[in-house]
Each structure stands twice: as C-alpha cells, then as structure tokens.
Amino acid sequence: AELAVVPAEAGQLDTENGTLTLPDGIAVDLPAAAGSIAICRPGRFACFVLQGFGFTAITVDPSVSESVDLIVVRSAHDDWNPLWPYLSDPEFLFFLSLSIGSIIFFARKGKTVGSEPREYSINLVDYLLTLIATRNPGFMQKMGDRETRKYSQQLEAIEIERPIFISGLARSGTTILLERLSTAKGMATHRYRDFPFIMTPIRWNKFLRFFGTKQTPSERPHQDKIKITRDSPDAFEEPIWQHFFPYLHGDSKSHVLSAQTSNEEFETFYDDHLKKILFLRDGSRYLSKGNYNLSRIEYIARLYPDAVFIVPIRHPFTHVDSLVRQHQLFVDYSEIDPKIPNYLRAVGHYEFGPQRLPIRVTDEGASAIDSAWGQGNEALGYAVQWREIYAYVADLLLKDRELAQRIHLVRFEDLCRDPHTAFENILEFTELGNALDAAELAEGIEPSGNRVNMSSDLQAQCWEVVQDVATQFGYAQQPDELMRFSGRPISRRT
C-alpha cells in the first residue's frame, strides 16, 4: 500500500527515501514496510493505545520537536484495521473500549478460583486491560501526572503521616496482617479494584463506579483459604517501582535500595500516588503491603522519617515448604493458561511461577539461587533466598539502632500460636491501639502445623544454608523447638 500521512497536513513524506519531515523540520526514517503513519501530538491517546496493540512506534525527542510526541507506523498488511479511519477522536475510542470491556468483565459470572489448577485462569478482558495499562508505563505515568495536576488542590491538603509498611518474604503472613490492620478507621490501602490502571487510581476508580456490582468473596488462587473481592486490600505498588527502577527485577544490579538512593522523578510520583490512595479511601494513614519493599527499607525510611515497618518472618523449613508448593501451583496454572506469567509480571509478582526471579541482595546469593533452581532443587533455592533476605534484615537491625526502633518483627509461629499477644504488640508499635481491638484481630487465627514435606537430607542441606541467620531470630533446626525470641537478632552473623 502507498504511504499516507494522517493527518495529511502534519508533515511532508518522501516516499522514495522513506523519510517523514515533521513541521519542525526534523527528518524521521520510517520502516521499509510502512503502510501508513499517524502523527501524535503531545497528550493524544490514540497512538499510545495502538502502540499497546503492537503497532511500531517511533518516539521523538522532545528537545528537538515540541509539536510531535510520537509517530505510530503500521505495516501495509495492517490496512484492513477498521479502527484506523476513526482516529480523529481517540479519547472517545479509548474510553469506549474500556467501557465495553468493563461491562463485559463485570457482567460476566464464572469461576476463577478453585481447588484444581484447571479452574483458575485470567479473564480475557481483564488481561487485555492489563496489557493496555502496563505495556506503556511511560504513557500511564504522563496520565498519572495529569491526574495529579487536575486534583492538585485536594492533594496538596493531604499529609502523609506515620505510614505503615508491611514487608516480608512471600508466604510469611503479610496478607493476613494487611487484612486485619486495614480494618482500622482512617486506614488507606490499595485494593484489587485499583489494578490495572494503578498510576491513575482516582480516574480509574471513578470510572469503575459506573459498573459497581456486588461480588461474592472467593478463595484467591493461592488456595490458602483467604477469600477476596475486588475491594479486598492487597499489594499493588510494584508496577510503579518497576517502572521507575527497571533493574529491580533484573539480573545485573542489586535490588537493594539504600538510604543513599535518589530518584526525584519517582519520589515525586510516589508521594503523589500515596496521597491519591489517602484521598480515594478518605484515610489518614497509608498502609502498604509489599514483599519487595523489604530490600528498600532504608530508602523508604529516608523518604518518610515517621514511617514504621512490620516485618513477618517464618521458620525457614515451613516457609520454604510453602514457597515450593506455591511455585508448583502457579506452574500448573500457567500450563493451563499461558496468560498467567505475563499477568503476574504486570502485577509485579516474581516470587513463584514460570516468571520467577530471585531477589538480588548479593551477587553470590542470587547466583546460588539460580543454580539450585536450575538443577531442580526448589527447596534449596528458596532456602538461599530466605537467608539472603533475612540476613539483610538482621544486618539492618544491628547496624542502625535508630532504624531498628522503627522495625517490628513478627514471627509467623507466634502470630498463629498467640495471636492476641502478637496483635497487642503490633497495635502498640503502630499506635493503633485506640482504633483496633487485639481480641477482634486475633479472631479466627489458628495454630499452624509444623509438618514439612522435605526429606531429612534436604532439611539438613537447607539448615546448613540458613543456620547462622535462623538462630539469630530464635529458630532451631526442628520447627517445634522454638527458642525464646527477644525481638532482634542475637548477634551479628559472621
């Protein structure tokens, strides 16, 4: 097909050389197979939506052209696309697509969670919305900034005071702590409904109000008896973190963010985002659950000097055993529904499943984890991950006394065995004693068993890896032989 410019007056096309000259005089080389092109002015939705559906996109440096933000090119064989002639009103198309998708999504009823792997899959409409929201994080960041400007007056009046960050290695009890503490008056958390347009939470939640329907709680895919609805609290910060810090789930740099870390663009956006959650939930204190925030405690503590951190920990044997089972469960899910790994990446979950990646605290530790998993020794790999994470926490508690006062460790076993006392201590630490009752929070929490599905030889192998750190937190080699724990490591590891 012959090249055509849309709109025609936007630039001059040289078909012989395959270049497009923009109104600013900048020449842009086009792909050889270009069928037609669209010139995107700054702020237009259409090109970003098309880019999300796989069209070729050429970004234009804002320092050389202020009139053109992006050029979207489609190849000649895509000329059948019926949407192309109607791009004169891209905002309409964008929100129309979301409206139709949301109507189908919320109107549709069916199982998404069950006791068998085949019963869990990602809803297609939900998956497509996730792709739109996450394939173009730069665009969504711009949308988030626009939202901030629109609600600037309301957000400026909000103060982020004494935020609470719950963070521990997955399967340590973070979800139950989040669910119980989120019931406090004035507590603001992320909810399932905030995803996938996490960077524009105000507009997205207002949009969802048009499609509000009652939802019956159902067990989440982890098969851990925790029932959820779209209004349940959960962890949804990670898409923001992985956008501004792309290496946080990579294999080339440490995932630890220290007090010396600086990213002004992120810090401004993140601060505004927390205010938006407080605004949406009409809250006075922000409550976060983020497993990966464990390696960012120093950085977050610097950003919010009055923030406090709740760090759950679990006996390495039962913890590793739970992680191994979860990994296999999500591998099974993914064999039935190939969309699941991509969906988990978008949410920012790499703890288990085919997309699994180690948390890189040290290069040596990450290499050992990859090696163990590569050899099929799932338990050993998770044992090394356990040691890496909690050795880092132990060092934090010992090297920085001031920061240590802002970290409260909760052993999973203590929470299950005596939940009333555990919650009393948490409420005192977080200063939520007047807002919540420990007895009510403890209701329904039962003692956990110490059964471990690992052979004696594998237990010995894992204990050799974790022993120096596990004993600092009061753990013995046998899960039912728990030493008294004072609340901080016994001694610096060697």
Side-chain angles (χ1 to χ4, degrees):
E2 190 173 325
L3 284 169
V5 180
V6 182
E9 68 276 8
Q12 296 181 350
L13 183 66
D14 183 345
T15 55
E16 183 176 347
N17 297 315
T19 60
L20 172 70
T21 302
L22 302 177
D24 298 328
I26 306 301
V28 179
D29 292 329
L30 300 174
S36 55
I37 62 176
I39 304 294
C40 286
R41 305 291 183 183
R44 299 291 294 206
F45 285 93
C47 292
F48 293 101
V49 173
L50 290 172
Q51 182 185 6
F53 281 107
F55 288 88
T56 302
I58 304 172
T59 56
V60 179
D61 190 340
S63 65
V64 299
S65 177
E66 297 181 355
S67 63
V68 177
D69 199 30
L70 189 74
I71 299 171
V72 172
V73 181
R74 61 173 182 163
S75 56
H77 66 271
D78 287 329
D79 286 343
W80 55 268
N81 193 312
L83 290 179
W84 196 262
Y86 303 101
L87 293 179
S88 59
D89 192 3
E91 287 88 351
F92 172 77
L93 286 175
F94 181 69
F95 284 107
L96 178 63
S97 65
L98 290 184
S99 300
I100 295 173
S102 297
I103 291 172
I104 296 172
F105 175 64
F106 290 122
R108 182 174 177 176
K109 295 181 179 180
K111 286 187 176 181
T112 57
V113 178
S115 59
E116 297 295 332
R118 66 175 181 274
E119 295 183 34
Y120 174 63
S121 61
I122 304 297
N123 180 284
L124 180 59
V125 175
D126 190 24
Y127 183 68
L128 292 176
L129 291 176
T130 299
L131 292 183
I132 293 173
T134 58
R135 286 289 178 91
N136 297 286
F139 168 63
M140 296 310 302
Q141 179 190 345
K142 292 180 181 180
M143 293 293 293
D145 290 337
R146 285 188 177 190
E147 182 180 79
T148 300
R149 290 192 293 269
K150 181 175 181 180
Y151 292 91
S152 59
Q153 187 174 356
Q154 295 94 322
L155 297 180
E156 286 174 2
I158 296 176
E159 296 290 336
I160 302 174
E161 298 179 334
R162 298 176 300 157
I164 302 170
F165 292 86
I166 301 173
S167 186
L169 192 61
R171 311 304 299 163
S172 62
T174 53
T175 299
I176 193 66
L177 290 173
L178 175 72
E179 286 197 335
R180 300 299 168 105
L181 295 183
S182 68
T183 60
K185 183 179 180 180
M187 199 63 69
T189 70
H190 282 98
R191 298 176 184 173
Y192 280 91
R193 66 185 295 119
D194 297 330
F195 190 78
F197 293 94
I198 196 70
M199 293 193 182
T200 55
I202 298 177
R203 284 177 169 170
W204 178 237
N205 274 266
K206 284 193 172 185
F207 178 76
L208 290 180
R209 289 175 188 173
F210 292 101
F211 306 99
T213 57
K214 292 184 179 180
Q215 190 177 33
T216 303
S218 58
E219 185 181 25
R220 64 179 189 161
H222 303 67
Q223 298 185 13
D224 53 9
K225 299 181 181 180
I226 296 178
K227 293 189 175 183
I228 58 173
T229 69
R230 63 173 174 276
D231 289 313
S232 298
D234 201 34
F236 286 109
E237 283 188 13
E238 202 57 28
I240 298 176
W241 285 94
Q242 65 183 4
H243 168 57
F244 286 95
F245 297 92
Y247 60 85
L248 286 180
H249 298 294
D251 57 3
S252 60
K253 296 178 65 175
S254 170
H255 298 173
V256 175
L257 299 182
S258 69
Q260 287 70 47
T261 302
S262 179
N263 187 327
E264 292 184 7
E265 188 178 15
F266 162 77
E267 292 162 18
T268 299
F269 191 93
Y270 186 66
D271 201 65
D272 289 334
H273 182 77
L274 266 56
K275 289 181 179 180
K276 291 176 184 179
I277 299 301
L278 289 166
F279 172 72
L280 269 175
R281 310 280 125 85
D282 193 24
S284 56
R285 292 185 71 177
Y286 175 69
L287 175 63
S288 162
K289 171 199 164 187
N291 296 337
Y292 295 105
N293 284 343
L294 203 59
S295 60
R296 308 160 189 165
I297 287 180
E298 288 183 287
Y299 182 41
I300 296 173
R302 179 179 70 77
L303 297 182
Y304 302 100
D306 59 351
V308 293
F309 303 88
I310 299 175
V311 177
I313 186 172
R314 187 174 182 178
H315 191 285
F317 285 177
T318 57
H319 202 162
V320 165
D321 189 59
S322 180
L323 287 166
V324 170
R325 284 186 280 109
Q326 285 297 307
H327 174 66
Q328 187 57 54
L329 181 64
F330 277 83
V331 168
D332 291 342
Y333 286 154
S334 300
E335 290 178 354
I336 304 299
D337 185 353
K339 299 190 300 296
I340 288 178
N342 286 334
Y343 184 82
L344 293 175
R345 290 188 189 97
V347 179
H349 283 312
Y350 300 88
E351 299 95 335
F352 31 71
Q355 79 297 334
R356 178 181 61 181
L357 293 169
I359 303 174
R360 182 174 289 270
V361 178
T362 67
D363 291 339
E364 180 183 5
S367 296
I369 296 169
D370 281 331
S371 176
W373 286 344
Q375 296 172 18
N377 195 333
E378 308 292 350
L380 181 60
Y382 278 120
V384 178
Q385 182 73 92
W386 190 98
R387 183 192 185 281
E388 284 279 284
I389 287 294
Y390 290 108
Y392 172 74
V393 173
D395 282 345
L396 272 186
L397 294 171
L398 291 168
K399 78 176 184 180
D400 191 332
R401 291 186 177 181
E402 183 178 350
L403 180 57
Q405 298 302 314
R406 298 164 60 185
I407 299 174
H408 181 71
L409 286 155
V410 179
R411 291 203 313 183
F412 181 81
E413 297 78 16
D414 297 336
L415 177 65
C416 294
R417 183 170 49 203
D418 187 3
H420 186 274
T421 299
F423 276 114
E424 278 187 335
N425 294 334
I426 292 172
L427 294 181
E428 180 181 0
F429 172 73
T430 57
E431 299 180 331
L432 288 173
N434 295 328
L436 292 171
D437 180 73
E440 292 182 4
L441 295 179
E443 188 175 347
I445 297 180
E446 301 175 353
S448 63
N450 292 321
R451 181 175 58 86
V452 179
N453 295 318
M454 289 193 290
S455 67
S456 299
D457 289 343
L458 187 54
Q459 288 185 38
Q461 190 179 12
C462 290
W463 184 252
E464 184 178 355
V465 170
V466 303
Q467 179 178 6
D468 64 330
V469 176
T471 54
Q472 294 185 68
F473 292 101
Y475 288 120
Q477 186 167 0
Q478 295 302 319
D480 57 346
E481 296 175 3
L482 301 175
M483 298 158 52
R484 185 176 180 181
F485 182 52
S486 62
R488 66 178 57 193
I490 298 170
S491 62
R492 180 179 293 277
R493 63 190 175 89
T494 56

